[in-house]
């Protein structure tokens, strides 16, 4: 891998880990004989649902906030997010003692909104589209002078998320394949950069809802594809790739598996019933991908025997889930 080719590399990821390791939680890796039998593989679940703020996003947000100079940090930070990054940034800012301004769509899951408020984030609502979020955030930046921290498309974010691989491949070095959710691509990029640096032969698969499959379409087209609208229960997977994340996804993610919302909900149910952990839809998609016919019947992955699955978060909006289940009956 050429140094400087991407927005992050193994050096920046190791630097991020040194910077944030006293602030983040080293999350556990769980396994289950029952799920191994169902998948016909050995699965290793990296449980970022146990991370501070309830999701992996705290790693990147923490690295970004604590990378700032005192002068830059003094006016606070700002972002727009559908939930997990917003809460993560609010918590990281609170730990540094600076304000966090958060623009979130009006349809944000209540549990994620409450997380932002719990960490003293200053909430500002937008319409449920990227243009409105950008406009509200721009106005706030002009008013406050706060530093904008995007949810994915930033080298500091990629470096922070890459610390997942540093931990996971130390906890379970036998892993030959990693499966990660993909949306804006911050985690997929960071995880891929670190994992490929540690073990160049490791396979990286991304998992995406069919109702928000811009990354899969981008991979197939060889260029960034944006969708006019998305429709998925996985509210954390509705963003799109950026100019920093796309090159890594293009070059280092081996394939993207898309799954239906019904498959995601079934995977959530398995996590609840077998692993005994709370997992949001975005977090369950890796298991859904591994159990899918697309993966199970693809000879390209027959040698994937030891699979690491990143459970990205556990912030479940139970009302949305119950509504979905009732409609499915």
């Amino acid at each position: 891998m050429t140094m400087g080719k991407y927005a992050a590399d193994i050096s920046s990821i190791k630097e991020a880990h040194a910077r944030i390791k006293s602030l983040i939680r080293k999350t556990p890796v769980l396994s289950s004989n029952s799920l191994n039998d169902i998948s016909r593989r050995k699965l290793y679940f990296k449980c970022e649902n146990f991370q501070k703020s309830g999701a992996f996003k705290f790693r990147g947000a923490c690295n970004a906030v604590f990378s700032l100079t005192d002068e830059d940090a003094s006016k606070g930070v700002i972002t727009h997010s559908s939930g997990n990054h917003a809460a993560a940034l609010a918590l990281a800012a609170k730990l540094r003692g600076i304000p966090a301004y958060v623009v979130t769509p009006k349809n944000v899951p209540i549990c994620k909104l409450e997380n932002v408020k719990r960490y003293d984030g200053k909430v500002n609502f937008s319409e449920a589209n990227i243009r409105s979020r950008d406009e509200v955030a721009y106005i706030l930046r002009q008013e406050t002078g706060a530093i904008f921290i995007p949810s994915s498309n930033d080298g500091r974010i990629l470096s922070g998320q890459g610390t997942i691989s540093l931990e996971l491949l130390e906890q379970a070095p036998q892993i030959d394949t990693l499966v990660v959710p993909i949306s804006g691509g911050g985690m997929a990029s960071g995880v891929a950069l670190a994992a490929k640096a540690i073990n160049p032969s490791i396979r990286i698969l991304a998992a995406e809802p069919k109702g928000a499959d811009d990354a899969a379409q981008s991979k197939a087209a060889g260029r960034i594809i944006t969708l006019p609208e998305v429709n998925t229960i996985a509210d954390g997977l509705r963003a799109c790739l950026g100019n920093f994340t796309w090159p890594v996804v293009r070059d280092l993610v081996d394939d993207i598996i898309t799954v239906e919302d019904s498959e995601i909900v079934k995977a959530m149910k398995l996590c609840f019933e077998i692993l005994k952990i709370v997992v949001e839809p975005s977090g369950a998609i890796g298991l859904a991908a591994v159990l899918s016919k697309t993966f199970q019947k693809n000879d390209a992955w027959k040698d994937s025997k030891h699979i690491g699955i990143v459970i990205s978060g556990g912030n479940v909006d139970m009302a949305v889930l119950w509504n979905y289940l009732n409609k499915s009956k």
Side-chain angles (χ1 to χ4, degrees):
M1 187 185 305
T2 304
M3 293 292 287
K5 183 177 180 181
Y6 304 112
D9 57 27
I10 189 62
S11 296
S12 68
I13 292 167
K14 288 181 176 179
E15 289 171 4
H17 195 241
R19 181 179 295 116
I20 67 176
K21 65 181 179 181
S22 65
L23 300 167
I24 64 173
R25 183 169 291 138
K26 185 175 181 178
T27 52
V29 174
L30 300 183
S31 59
S32 161
N33 288 333
S34 295
L35 289 177
N36 289 348
D37 290 342
I38 293 170
S39 66
R40 294 180 294 177
R41 308 291 205 283
K42 290 190 176 180
L43 307 181
Y44 308 83
F45 296 92
K46 180 63 168 167
C47 295
E48 287 295 291
N49 53 318
F50 295 144
Q51 187 54 260
K52 291 180 181 178
S53 80
F56 79 97
K57 290 285 190 180
F58 183 65
R59 294 175 182 265
C62 194
N63 187 50
V65 167
F66 282 86
S67 295
L68 296 175
T69 65
D70 289 342
E71 181 180 356
D72 285 340
S74 63
K75 294 182 179 179
V77 290
I78 187 171
T79 197
H80 58 68
S81 164
S82 62
N84 282 338
H85 175 65
L89 190 69
L91 176 56
K94 183 176 183 177
L95 291 175
R96 185 152 184 189
I98 61 176
Y101 304 93
V102 173
V103 177
T104 191
K106 293 178 180 178
N107 64 346
V108 64
I110 296 299
C111 65
K112 295 184 178 182
L113 180 62
E114 291 303 316
N115 276 350
V116 176
K117 293 179 178 179
R118 186 176 298 119
Y119 304 133
D120 300 330
K122 303 179 187 302
V123 177
N124 298 265
F125 289 106
S126 71
E127 298 302 323
N129 60 72
I130 292 295
R131 180 178 177 178
S132 176
R133 285 161 57 161
D134 283 337
E135 289 174 349
V136 176
Y138 177 79
I139 293 170
L140 274 174
R141 289 174 70 184
Q142 298 304 305
E143 293 175 349
T144 64
I147 301 294
F148 184 72
I149 306 292
S151 61
S152 298
N153 199 44
D154 184 289
R156 298 163 298 182
I157 298 293
L158 271 64
S159 296
Q161 317 308 25
T163 63
I164 293 171
S165 288
L166 298 186
E167 291 181 6
L168 178 54
L169 295 182
E170 181 184 81
Q171 293 165 308
Q174 65 271 40
I175 287 173
D176 54 49
T177 304
L178 270 173
V179 184
V180 297
I182 191 166
S183 182
M187 177 170 59
S189 297
V191 164
L193 285 164
K196 294 277 190 179
I198 295 168
N199 177 8
S201 65
I202 200 168
R203 305 175 184 93
I204 307 295
L205 303 179
E208 187 174 45
K210 287 185 178 178
D213 66 345
D214 60 291
Q217 290 191 37
S218 298
K219 188 79 168 170
R223 60 183 177 85
I224 294 180
I225 300 292
T226 56
L227 304 178
E229 61 181 66
V230 296
N231 182 21
T232 175
I233 193 174
D235 59 274
L237 301 179
R238 295 171 181 166
C240 56
L241 297 169
N243 62 312
F244 291 136
T245 57
W246 161 241
V248 185
V249 172
R250 179 193 63 206
D251 298 346
L252 300 183
V253 172
D254 294 285
D255 203 355
I256 298 176
I257 299 169
T258 59
V259 295
E260 300 285 357
D261 278 7
S262 59
E263 295 176 281
I264 295 173
V265 173
K266 287 178 183 177
M268 289 177 69
K269 188 169 183 285
L270 289 172
C271 289
F272 293 154
E273 294 179 346
I274 298 177
L275 288 180
K276 309 301 182 186
I277 58 175
V278 176
V279 180
E280 64 186 89
S282 305
I285 196 170
L287 177 59
V290 169
L291 297 180
S292 69
K293 291 181 180 178
T294 302
F295 178 83
Q296 290 286 329
K297 295 187 175 182
N298 191 334
D299 286 341
W301 313 120
K302 64 182 180 180
D303 294 329
S304 294
K305 303 295 186 183
H306 298 270
I307 302 176
I309 297 176
V310 179
I311 294 180
S312 56
N315 296 312
V316 183
D317 188 327
M318 299 306 291
V320 172
L321 179 60
W322 298 149
N323 288 338
Y324 177 88
L325 292 174
N326 288 332
K327 289 179 181 177
S328 301
K329 289 180 179 178

